[in-house]
Amino acid sequence: MSFNTFGRVFRFTTWGESHGPALGAVIDGCPPGVVLGEADIQPWLDKRRPGTSRFTTQRREPDQVRILSGVFEGRTTGTPISLMIENVDQRSKDYSEVARAYRPGHADYAYDAKYGFRDYRGGGRSSARETAARVAAGAVARAVIPGVRIRAWVEAIGGDAIDPAAFDDAQIDANPFFCPDAAAAARWEEKVDAARKAGSSLGAVIACEATGVPAGWGAPLYAKLDSELAAAIMSINAVKGVEIGDGFAAAALSGEENADPMRPGDNGPTFLANHAGGIAGGIATGQPIRVRAAFKPTSSILTPVPTIASTGEATEIATRGRHDPCVGIRGVPVVEAMVALVLADQSMLHRAQCG
Amino acid sequence: MSFNTFGRVFRFTTWGESHGPALGAVIDGCPPGVVLGEADIQPWLDKRRPGTSRFTTQRREPDQVRILSGVFEGRTTGTPISLMIENVDQRSKDYSEVARAYRPGHADYAYDAKYGFRDYRGGGRSSARETAARVAAGAVARAVIPGVRIRAWVEAIGGDAIDPAAFDDAQIDANPFFCPDAAAAARWEEKVDAARKAGSSLGAVIACEATGVPAGWGAPLYAKLDSELAAAIMSINAVKGVEIGDGFAAAALSGEENADPMRPGDNGPTFLANHAGGIAGGIATGQPIRVRAAFKPTSSILTPVPTIASTGEATEIATRGRHDPCVGIRGVPVVEAMVALVLADQSMLHRAQCG
Amino acid sequence: MSFNTFGRVFRFTTWGESHGPALGAVIDGCPPGVVLGEADIQPWLDKRRPGTSRFTTQRREPDQVRILSGVFEGRTTGTPISLMIENVDQRSKDYSEVARAYRPGHADYAYDAKYGFRDYRGGGRSSARETAARVAAGAVARAVIPGVRIRAWVEAIGGDAIDPAAFDDAQIDANPFFCPDAAAAARWEEKVDAARKAGSSLGAVIACEATGVPAGWGAPLYAKLDSELAAAIMSINAVKGVEIGDGFAAAALSGEENADPMRPGDNGPTFLANHAGGIAGGIATGQPIRVRAAFKPTSSILTPVPTIASTGEATEIATRGRHDPCVGIRGVPVVEAMVALVLADQSMLHRAQCG
Amino acid sequence: MSFNTFGRVFRFTTWGESHGPALGAVIDGCPPGVVLGEADIQPWLDKRRPGTSRFTTQRREPDQVRILSGVFEGRTTGTPISLMIENVDQRSKDYSEVARAYRPGHADYAYDAKYGFRDYRGGGRSSARETAARVAAGAVARAVIPGVRIRAWVEAIGGDAIDPAAFDDAQIDANPFFCPDAAAAARWEEKVDAARKAGSSLGAVIACEATGVPAGWGAPLYAKLDSELAAAIMSINAVKGVEIGDGFAAAALSGEENADPMRPGDNGPTFLANHAGGIAGGIATGQPIRVRAAFKPTSSILTPVPTIASTGEATEIATRGRHDPCVGIRGVPVVEAMVALVLADQSMLHRAQCG
């Protein structure tokens, strides 16, 4: 596995920067015969697309995907699938100040420390634009595991959480926050608007559930399904925490409280609880897979923050330009894509070893 | 990367089951010329060893490591290092009931669903005994990055957390809980004792800090240092959550609150805070790397839990045998080992790409 | 390593089919700061380009490369480098018969057996056009190891070999056969012309030498430099044999005849012979690396060959369309590229492990 | 893939040196439920074992294999299989001179150039003893693909080849040379005896055939079945050339001569020839897979060869000690093992991608 490749058998490699001519993904190892066209990918990109509400960055990108290889007469051939998305609305002029000083919380200083220099335009490779390539690849992954339903939503913004009792699946696509609780969505509208106007930003927690995953996918230990999901989710820009099932809450429980009792069911066991998030010993149990991700607030804020210049002296920086006031919101389709990519890979690994 | 291998250049593969003749690790890609003997590895194994206090499993294992290859005249040769630890105190008779019924929260059912059958003795491959191999490998990793200091501790047991203000590094090795807060250690003694006597168990939160990591190790995105650490930590048995830096707490903050301002320092920038846990854009910033792991309570409890038999009908199971009442405690040296293994690998990857 | 990726640290992934809109390569792991532009890549593509003489396929492709990512202000950034070459001169009409019946010696039948169907246009993924992506990637590899000189040539066509005594480096680029022996080039002109006019084809042997490779690159056993080169060369379409140094000739010798005696030299030892082709125990010795590749004759010939139709019944096929009468000729820059790609990777692996 | 690991899904890692306490292999990714015991592995090791005739090294090693993990109640569990073979008959005193001077043709100088020092006892990691671990792993691979029959033999020693017309499968195990031609075996007896007595050595060509490989295993290009086999075979000590099918001979043919015409058969097509060695476009055609390997003569000879001392000055060395006069002979079970390991891996990869 290289720096920009993810997966073991169903693998994808992404490339591209915020202000380059294009970005894309190459998917290798896709099964043959999967029905696939650009129309199967585009809706997921549209869901992630910037500029669709005032709560996301105002950069306008059509994010039109092109399939350049690996599909013949509407079906995958088993050879690598190259997907490309052109960048249209770059405005490099916005980033002159970034070239001069390191934005705290951004990768600027770390890039210089590592590589000796950096493409400072729009965050370069570390821009959230890269996630468009993931979402496109994720759409292919979904087509590989049609029996699995993957659904993510925002669970909290800036510490204001949804009421689990008010969870309504139908709400998720009915507001610009992917929020399953209408009341919370109303509160967040004000909250995010206020942050946006103040040039501030907010963190968020995203939850994701995958149903229809058969018991048996995954592996013990180093390729634990939990571990693969953690790596995938943590590889998304701005994510700083991952939980499987009850996660940190389980650490506060006793063994009795955390037990997942089983009863005979029609298709394998029925579980009376799912503290484990659908994974035991690294292997899927057949229950819903549950993952949560912590997105830090966008580091780009209008309030000047003390920093150092590339040349070393003290300065401060206020990040102008177009940014998401809460990058976690657009993280929803990205988390879904990463979960889909992990599961497609696991489905194939399981088939390889256990036939 | 295969199912039981971890790492990219500095890679290790572990093997072995709870009740097999031995377990071990093969480390591949270690630099040559590193001074290494069994005496460099044994102390870390001793720290993890079971049976050292009443708060851990009563299985008695000497955990003596043997180096079988890759070292000549006291130095690593650059060829694979094979480490072996013999199992001594297996008691297979304890596990007859486990063969018959699935222990909830354990991997039993998932193994059968995946592999069609399982080595039911002591959890087989999914036993915490496997972590001895990690700790041994981790000792080699430490020798590869002598400038890095890695230190973990228990931060909370069963929801009872240490007082950060009372943090005392010297305390960590002074009590059987790796607890940096003497008052908390006293409370935990009662708490864990009560759980042990009741045949119950408790979850725990482990924190780990690595200092001396140079700015530049890591990579953006899929090989983000955060992502590598998350995969490593989440691959440990019983871990269900991982945080880098402030983790989930950061998701509740605003961009101003989460800012990591920089000031010129003697050796690169001084950071006024470290919300990011020493990693920005996936790359080390030179600040301390901070990681937290959530360990669920040991699933083996004396209270009978409803479950199903291997043959499908309803039954219940109470897990007798020797278990850790709080498996998180012995997770401390394991977390340290995994962090060491990730950092040794990253040090070499960085050198490969950036000289 | 996935199906379409090659390398360990300096890795590249190619994508694209003969008759798709484009083909390309993504290079991951390239060191930062390497001076690179399209002008550094284009000359190597021009060397491989079809339609430049009557001895190669008459397909006309400009093979213009575009760098889509990973380069900023003329230098590599350390992030993935995406290279794209558009297909211009596809003529899908030529391939209708191929859809109907399996061309012997081609991958047609094997693709159907594996994938259930195939992109039959121009050989699909198995077209020699894919090698354009390798040559482009190889140009980047060369830039990573500027001290290494890699040079390939044709050593024999259809069993007619050059005279080693007549070897003249300057001749290689002076004839359309990359032939270092002017007399042999003259003979081959007639030979290949005759084959072309008869709709026949010829096999070839390509030799390659890399000088300036420092002693120490490579590794014992599974990542033996010999093994990496063999995998790389054998991955080229139509290659069916690989030799390192004296190869099969060494198998006919005694230990005395095959000895590579050493004498003290100014920069490490001087070797009095180089039967080993610059590699001992899988590791470079500092002598020239020598590799040879056997290219089978192009399977596309005008003489009808018995075969079976996709539907199973007996038929025969004569392959019309545009083909290289001796695909080995254009294999020269491809072999060079693969050797460069292996050596760039090895240079980084060596630095990773041995500093 | 690391330095000492081979394979993609069915992977094995070997460890151990000639004069260490033991050597072994860890197999990861093996399917569960495969019947396996030490008795399934030992016969293959016995075939490779040194000291069984005067034509191989006189080192006496029982090569008893132990299975340390991954097998429960006689079947593989799907977890890593650790195999260990203890070294018994080391005689380190034989190697004092090797510490002082570089043996030409051996890895001695290259190791020092790479690693800065070396385990000089018996060739260390580069000893042919390492192949015992391959043969043990290969026995497991055979159990994974029971429908495939793999058979290797010696085709030529020191340039003296068998008569193809005299090929008799039953002869292969009837003489100490794995020679299918009784007359050639008689000639080789004299030839190898003479070399042995003179302290000389001879090269050899090994051929291997695998039947029962279903059409479809393999992949185009970088994971071409040809390429995987080439890497596997070339990774064996002393191998300097690999051919698939007609190999270099094909390079001397015309397209008509090299054609592999097909006719309808009972189970897929019947091929009228098999120049391609059972692989087209990197994918198995269902015909026998045919591979050949060139083993150079053992570099250890009694005739003094000019060399340099570790300290740099001119000297000469005559290699005493116990060596195979023709290391290719014992290469036969090793080549078989490597072919089995590649095919087991490919069977699983094929199942992963194509069901």
Side-chain angles (χ1 to χ4, degrees):
Chain A
M1 214 185 322
S2 199
F3 302 117
N4 292 280
T5 297
F6 197 89
R8 293 163 185 264
V9 174
F10 182 94
R11 295 165 68 103
F12 70 100
T13 303
T14 74
W15 54 269
E17 281 88 32
S18 175
H19 283 57
L23 47 87
V26 181
I27 298 161
D28 196 5
C30 186
V34 176
V35 173
L36 187 75
E38 284 149 5
D40 297 303
I41 302 172
Q42 197 60 50
W44 306 104
L45 282 168
D46 292 345
K47 194 171 166 184
R48 192 212 71 98
R49 203 172 57 201
T52 50
S53 84
R54 70 179 184 276
F55 307 109
T56 63
T57 174
Q58 293 308 299
R59 180 165 170 173
R60 303 271 164 185
E61 288 288 350
D63 279 353
Q64 288 290 334
V65 68
R66 284 185 67 199
I67 299 176
L68 296 178
S69 68
V71 175
F72 181 59
E73 297 182 344
R75 289 186 297 158
T76 60
T77 57
T79 60
I81 301 168
S82 177
L83 305 173
M84 186 170 70
I85 298 160
E86 288 183 66
N87 284 325
V88 169
D89 185 22
Q90 310 103 308
R91 295 192 208 157
S92 291
K93 64 179 149 65
D94 287 336
Y95 296 96
S96 52
E97 198 179 26
V98 179
R100 189 190 57 79
Y102 299 128
R103 293 168 303 166
H106 278 281
D108 300 347
Y109 168 69
Y111 266 64
D112 266 15
K114 181 173 192 70
Y115 299 120
F117 82 122
R118 69 197 147 101
D119 177 352
Y120 48 75
R121 301 165 303 162
R125 177 73 181 145
S126 287
S127 165
R129 267 206 72 60
E130 186 270 346
T131 60
R134 301 181 185 225
V135 169
V140 181
R142 284 179 193 266
V144 169
I145 45 170
V148 176
R149 180 176 184 270
I150 297 161
R151 182 70 152 152
W153 59 88
V154 179
E155 207 167 86
I157 288 184
D160 180 7
I162 59 166
D163 173 5
F167 190 100
D168 176 2
D169 191 273
Q171 277 294 316
I172 297 174
D173 292 329
N175 60 67
F177 302 106
F178 302 111
C179 177
D181 168 357
R187 295 196 306 271
W188 294 351
E189 187 160 340
E190 273 185 59
K191 199 176 178 82
V192 178
D193 240 355
R196 181 178 61 81
K197 287 176 185 163
S200 179
S201 65
L202 294 164
V205 175
I206 311 300
C208 184
E209 189 179 77
T211 53
V213 175
W217 291 6
L221 309 181
Y222 303 97
K224 267 174 81 171
L225 189 43
D226 324 53
S227 177
E228 302 279 287
L229 286 166
I233 300 299
M234 197 69 102
S235 77
I236 303 171
N237 325 46
V239 174
K240 298 300 274 189
V242 182
E243 295 181 315
I244 307 296
D246 287 359
F248 279 87
L253 300 182
S254 69
E256 292 76 15
E257 292 163 330
N258 192 54
D260 276 337
M262 290 184 264
R263 276 288 157 243
D266 291 337
N267 303 302
T270 300
F271 290 77
L272 308 183
N274 186 12
H275 297 291
I279 308 173
I283 301 169
T285 61
Q287 297 174 278
I289 306 285
R290 298 197 297 110
V291 190
R292 293 166 84 242
F295 281 76
K296 68 174 185 178
T298 317
S299 300
S300 302
I301 50 174
L302 212 55
T303 305
V305 183
T307 191
I308 57 171
S310 305
T311 45
E313 64 271 25
T315 181
E316 62 181 25
I317 195 165
T319 315
R320 287 176 194 83
R322 303 163 298 172
H323 305 288
D324 286 280
C326 175
V327 75
I329 298 170
R330 289 206 296 134
V332 165
V334 183
V335 167
E336 287 183 353
M338 293 309 293
V339 170
L341 287 156
V342 167
L343 292 175
D345 191 29
Q346 292 292 327
S347 75
M348 294 175 69
L349 276 169
H350 180 68
R351 191 161 60 189
Q353 194 182 13
C354 300
Chain B
M1 216 185 322
S2 198
F3 302 118
N4 292 279
T5 297
F6 197 88
R8 295 163 184 266
V9 174
F10 183 94
R11 294 165 68 102
F12 69 101
T13 304
T14 74
W15 55 268
E17 281 87 33
S18 174
H19 283 59
L23 47 86
V26 181
I27 298 160
D28 197 6
C30 185
V34 176
V35 173
L36 187 76
E38 285 148 6
D40 297 303
I41 303 173
Q42 197 60 49
W44 305 104
L45 282 168
D46 292 346
K47 192 172 169 184
R48 192 212 70 99
R49 203 173 58 201
T52 49
S53 83
R54 70 179 185 277
F55 307 109
T56 63
T57 175
Q58 292 309 298
R59 180 167 172 172
R60 302 272 165 184
E61 289 287 351
D63 280 353
Q64 288 289 335
V65 68
R66 284 185 66 200
I67 299 175
L68 297 177
S69 68
V71 175
F72 181 59
E73 298 183 341
R75 290 187 295 158
T76 60
T77 57
T79 62
I81 302 169
S82 177
L83 305 174
M84 185 170 70
I85 298 160
E86 287 184 67
N87 284 326
V88 169
D89 185 22
Q90 310 102 311
R91 296 190 207 159
S92 291
K93 65 180 147 60
D94 287 338
Y95 296 96
S96 54
E97 199 179 25
V98 179
R100 190 190 57 78
Y102 299 127
R103 292 168 301 168
H106 278 281
D108 300 347
Y109 167 69
Y111 265 64
D112 267 14
K114 181 173 193 71
Y115 299 119
F117 82 123
R118 69 198 147 100
D119 178 352
Y120 48 74
R121 302 165 303 163
R125 177 74 179 145
S126 287
S127 165
R129 267 206 72 59
E130 186 269 346
T131 59
R134 302 180 185 226
V135 170
V140 181
R142 285 178 194 265
V144 170
I145 44 170
V148 177
R149 180 176 184 269
I150 298 162
R151 182 72 151 151
W153 59 86
V154 180
E155 205 166 88
I157 288 184
D160 181 6
I162 60 167
D163 173 7
F167 190 100
D168 176 2
D169 191 273
Q171 276 295 314
I172 296 175
D173 291 329
N175 59 67
F177 302 106
F178 303 110
C179 177
D181 168 357
R187 295 194 310 268
W188 294 352
E189 187 160 340
E190 272 186 58
K191 199 175 177 83
V192 178
D193 240 354
R196 182 178 61 81
K197 287 176 186 164
S200 180
S201 66
L202 294 164
V205 175
I206 311 302
C208 185
E209 189 178 76
T211 52
V213 175
W217 290 7
L221 307 181
Y222 303 96
K224 266 173 82 169
L225 188 43
D226 324 52
S227 177
E228 302 279 287
L229 287 167
I233 300 300
M234 196 69 102
S235 78
I236 303 171
N237 324 47
V239 174
K240 299 300 275 188
V242 182
E243 295 181 315
I244 306 295
D246 288 359
F248 279 88
L253 301 181
S254 69
E256 291 76 15
E257 292 163 329
N258 193 55
D260 277 336
M262 290 184 264
R263 276 288 158 244
D266 290 337
N267 302 300
T270 300
F271 290 77
L272 308 183
N274 186 12
H275 298 290
I279 308 173
I283 301 168
T285 60
Q287 298 174 279
I289 306 285
R290 298 197 298 109
V291 190
R292 293 166 83 244
F295 281 76
K296 68 174 185 179
T298 317
S299 299
S300 303
I301 50 174
L302 211 55
T303 305
V305 183
T307 190
I308 59 170
S310 304
T311 46
E313 64 270 24
T315 182
E316 62 182 24
I317 195 164
T319 315
R320 285 174 196 85
R322 301 163 298 174
H323 305 289
D324 286 280
C326 175
V327 75
I329 298 169
R330 290 206 294 134
V332 166
V334 183
V335 167
E336 286 182 353
M338 294 308 295
V339 170
L341 287 156
V342 167
L343 292 176
D345 191 28
Q346 292 293 326
S347 75
M348 293 174 68
L349 277 168
H350 180 68
R351 191 162 60 190
Q353 193 182 14
C354 300
Chain C
M1 216 186 321
S2 199
F3 302 117
N4 293 280
T5 297
F6 197 88
R8 295 162 185 266
V9 173
F10 183 94
R11 295 165 68 104
F12 70 100
T13 304
T14 74
W15 56 268
E17 281 88 32
S18 175
H19 283 58
L23 48 87
V26 180
I27 298 160
D28 197 5
C30 185
V34 176
V35 172
L36 187 75
E38 284 149 5
D40 297 302
I41 303 173
Q42 197 61 50
W44 304 103
L45 282 167
D46 292 347
K47 192 171 168 184
R48 192 212 70 100
R49 203 173 59 202
T52 50
S53 84
R54 70 179 184 276
F55 307 109
T56 63
T57 174
Q58 293 309 300
R59 181 167 171 172
R60 302 273 165 183
E61 290 287 351
D63 280 353
Q64 288 289 334
V65 68
R66 284 186 65 200
I67 299 176
L68 297 178
S69 68
V71 175
F72 181 59
E73 297 182 343
R75 288 187 297 158
T76 59
T77 58
T79 62
I81 301 168
S82 177
L83 305 173
M84 186 169 70
I85 298 159
E86 287 184 66
N87 284 325
V88 169
D89 185 23
Q90 309 102 312
R91 296 190 207 159
S92 291
K93 64 181 149 62
D94 287 337
Y95 295 97
S96 53
E97 198 179 25
V98 179
R100 189 191 58 78
Y102 299 127
R103 292 168 302 166
H106 278 280
D108 300 347
Y109 167 68
Y111 266 63
D112 267 15
K114 182 172 192 72
Y115 299 120
F117 83 122
R118 69 198 147 101
D119 178 351
Y120 47 77
R121 301 165 305 163
R125 177 73 179 147
S126 286
S127 165
R129 268 205 72 59
E130 187 270 346
T131 60
R134 301 179 185 226
V135 169
V140 181
R142 284 179 194 265
V144 169
I145 43 170
V148 177
R149 180 176 184 269
I150 298 162
R151 182 72 151 151
W153 58 88
V154 179
E155 205 166 88
I157 288 184
D160 181 6
I162 60 167
D163 173 6
F167 190 101
D168 176 2
D169 192 273
Q171 276 294 315
I172 296 175
D173 292 329
N175 60 68
F177 302 107
F178 302 111
C179 177
D181 167 358
R187 296 196 306 270
W188 295 352
E189 186 160 340
E190 271 185 59
K191 199 174 177 83
V192 178
D193 239 355
R196 182 178 60 81
K197 286 176 186 163
S200 180
S201 65
L202 294 165
V205 175
I206 310 301
C208 184
E209 189 179 77
T211 52
V213 175
W217 290 7
L221 308 180
Y222 302 96
K224 266 173 81 170
L225 189 44
D226 323 53
S227 177
E228 302 279 289
L229 287 167
I233 299 300
M234 196 69 101
S235 77
I236 303 170
N237 324 47
V239 174
K240 299 299 274 188
V242 182
E243 294 181 315
I244 306 296
D246 287 359
F248 279 88
L253 299 182
S254 69
E256 291 76 16
E257 292 163 331
N258 193 54
D260 276 337
M262 290 183 264
R263 276 289 158 243
D266 291 337
N267 303 301
T270 299
F271 290 77
L272 309 183
N274 186 12
H275 298 290
I279 308 174
I283 301 168
T285 61
Q287 297 174 277
I289 306 284
R290 297 197 297 111
V291 190
R292 292 166 84 245
F295 281 75
K296 68 175 186 179
T298 317
S299 300
S300 303
I301 50 174
L302 211 57
T303 306
V305 183
T307 190
I308 58 171
S310 303
T311 46
E313 64 270 24
T315 181
E316 62 182 24
I317 197 165
T319 315
R320 285 174 196 85
R322 303 162 297 174
H323 305 289
D324 287 279
C326 175
V327 74
I329 298 169
R330 289 206 295 134
V332 166
V334 183
V335 167
E336 287 182 352
M338 294 308 295
V339 170
L341 287 156
V342 166
L343 292 175
D345 192 29
Q346 292 293 327
S347 75
M348 293 175 69
L349 276 168
H350 179 69
R351 191 162 60 189
Q353 193 182 14
C354 300
Chain D
M1 214 186 321
S2 198
F3 302 117
N4 291 280
T5 296
F6 197 89
R8 294 162 184 265
V9 174
F10 182 94
R11 295 165 68 104
F12 70 101
T13 304
T14 74
W15 55 269
E17 280 89 30
S18 176
H19 283 57
L23 47 87
V26 181
I27 298 160
D28 196 6
C30 185
V34 176
V35 173
L36 187 74
E38 283 149 6
D40 297 303
I41 302 172
Q42 196 61 49
W44 305 104
L45 282 167
D46 292 346
K47 194 171 168 185
R48 192 212 71 97
R49 203 173 57 203
T52 51
S53 84
R54 70 179 184 278
F55 307 109
T56 62
T57 174
Q58 292 310 299
R59 180 166 170 174
R60 301 272 165 184
E61 288 288 351
D63 279 352
Q64 288 290 334
V65 69
R66 285 185 65 199
I67 300 176
L68 296 178
S69 68
V71 175
F72 181 59
E73 298 182 343
R75 289 187 296 158
T76 59
T77 58
T79 61
I81 301 168
S82 177
L83 305 173
M84 186 170 71
I85 298 160
E86 287 182 66
N87 284 326
V88 168
D89 185 22
Q90 311 101 308
R91 295 191 208 159
S92 292
K93 63 178 149 60
D94 288 337
Y95 295 97
S96 52
E97 198 179 27
V98 179
R100 190 190 56 79
Y102 299 128
R103 292 168 303 167
H106 279 281
D108 301 347
Y109 168 69
Y111 266 63
D112 267 15
K114 181 174 192 69
Y115 299 121
F117 81 123
R118 68 197 148 102
D119 177 352
Y120 48 76
R121 302 165 305 162
R125 177 73 181 147
S126 287
S127 165
R129 267 206 72 60
E130 186 269 347
T131 60
R134 301 179 185 225
V135 169
V140 181
R142 285 180 193 265
V144 169
I145 45 170
V148 176
R149 181 176 184 269
I150 297 161
R151 182 71 150 152
W153 58 88
V154 179
E155 208 167 85
I157 288 184
D160 180 6
I162 60 167
D163 173 5
F167 190 101
D168 176 2
D169 190 274
Q171 276 295 315
I172 296 174
D173 292 329
N175 60 66
F177 302 106
F178 303 110
C179 176
D181 168 356
R187 296 194 307 271
W188 295 351
E189 187 161 339
E190 272 184 60
K191 199 176 177 84
V192 178
D193 239 355
R196 181 178 61 81
K197 287 175 186 162
S200 179
S201 66
L202 294 165
V205 175
I206 311 300
C208 184
E209 188 179 78
T211 53
V213 175
W217 290 6
L221 308 181
Y222 302 96
K224 265 173 83 170
L225 189 42
D226 324 52
S227 177
E228 302 278 289
L229 287 167
I233 300 300
M234 196 70 100
S235 77
I236 303 171
N237 324 48
V239 173
K240 299 300 275 188
V242 182
E243 294 181 316
I244 307 295
D246 287 359
F248 279 87
L253 299 181
S254 69
E256 292 76 15
E257 293 163 330
N258 193 54
D260 277 337
M262 290 183 264
R263 276 289 158 242
D266 292 337
N267 303 301
T270 300
F271 290 78
L272 308 183
N274 186 14
H275 298 290
I279 309 173
I283 301 169
T285 61
Q287 297 174 278
I289 306 285
R290 298 198 297 111
V291 189
R292 292 166 84 244
F295 281 76
K296 68 174 186 179
T298 317
S299 300
S300 303
I301 51 175
L302 211 56
T303 305
V305 183
T307 189
I308 57 171
S310 304
T311 46
E313 64 270 24
T315 181
E316 62 181 25
I317 195 165
T319 315
R320 286 176 196 83
R322 302 163 299 173
H323 304 288
D324 286 280
C326 174
V327 75
I329 298 170
R330 290 206 294 134
V332 166
V334 183
V335 166
E336 287 183 353
M338 294 309 294
V339 170
L341 287 156
V342 167
L343 292 176
D345 191 29
Q346 291 293 327
S347 75
M348 293 175 69
L349 276 169
H350 180 68
R351 191 162 60 191
Q353 194 182 14
C354 300

